[in-house]
Amino acid sequence: MRLLAQGRAPDLVAAVPARARQTLVREVLLCCDGVPVIFAHTTLSTVGRGRLNRWLARLGSRSLGSLLFAYPGFCRGAIECTRLDRRDPLYRAALAALPPGSTLPPQLWARRSTHALGGQQVSVCEVFLPAIQALAS
């Protein structure tokens, strides 16, 4: 896992305009044998305080999964799947995370789910990069 960015930023998938939301955004690239297979975009509202704000701020280069699946209090919401194309901000962010000169197919699959703990909710969107198909074969 490679941490690409973490801090306050607009949410690329928010239905509410970015200026109306205060959001902590974390972006990582998950690799297998050094090859990028998933671009992950995680968001957490920073309106209000809670354990998730502190935990995510201190996560550093550890994977979010190490937190979500190790702590028994999390409740996972429904998983939504979609295809992204070059017009989508997440598609463009995934491409920007790859080494210079990399290309992507016209469409990518992505999934999003939420994980709730108390009154807070973290949203995780994973964009599946082409190399992941080779792992599934």
Side-chain angles (χ1 to χ4, degrees):
M1 188 216 65
R2 187 170 78 216
L3 178 63
L4 301 171
Q6 182 168 316
R8 291 180 185 249
D11 182 357
L12 297 177
V13 294
V16 177
R19 68 181 183 284
R21 294 177 49 126
Q22 293 180 0
T23 307
L24 176 66
V25 174
R26 175 180 167 92
E27 292 182 338
V28 301
L29 199 56
L30 303 176
C31 299
C32 183
D33 294 330
V35 178
V37 292
I38 295 175
F39 169 78
H41 176 86
T42 302
T43 58
L44 172 66
S45 173
T46 57
V47 177
R49 298 280 176 219
R51 287 182 283 186
L52 283 178
N53 295 84
R54 290 188 305 275
W55 290 350
L56 202 60
R58 287 188 243 141
L59 199 55
S61 62
R62 290 179 294 140
S63 75
L64 182 60
S66 70
L67 170 64
L68 296 178
F69 300 114
Y71 189 83
F74 279 99
C75 296
R76 186 177 197 164
I79 297 175
E80 304 170 343
C81 296
T82 191
R83 281 186 286 186
L84 308 175
D85 64 26
R86 290 180 175 101
R87 297 170 294 179
D88 193 286
L90 279 176
Y91 180 103
R92 294 191 302 271
L95 179 59
L98 297 176
S102 297
T103 60
L104 290 174
Q107 295 185 332
L108 298 171
W109 280 101
R111 72 177 181 182
R112 178 175 58 186
S113 62
T114 57
H115 301 264
L117 179 66
Q120 290 190 289
Q121 180 172 286
V122 62
S123 175
V124 180
C125 186
E126 298 164 298
V127 179
F128 299 98
L129 302 174
I132 202 164
Q133 290 178 334
L135 296 175
S137 313

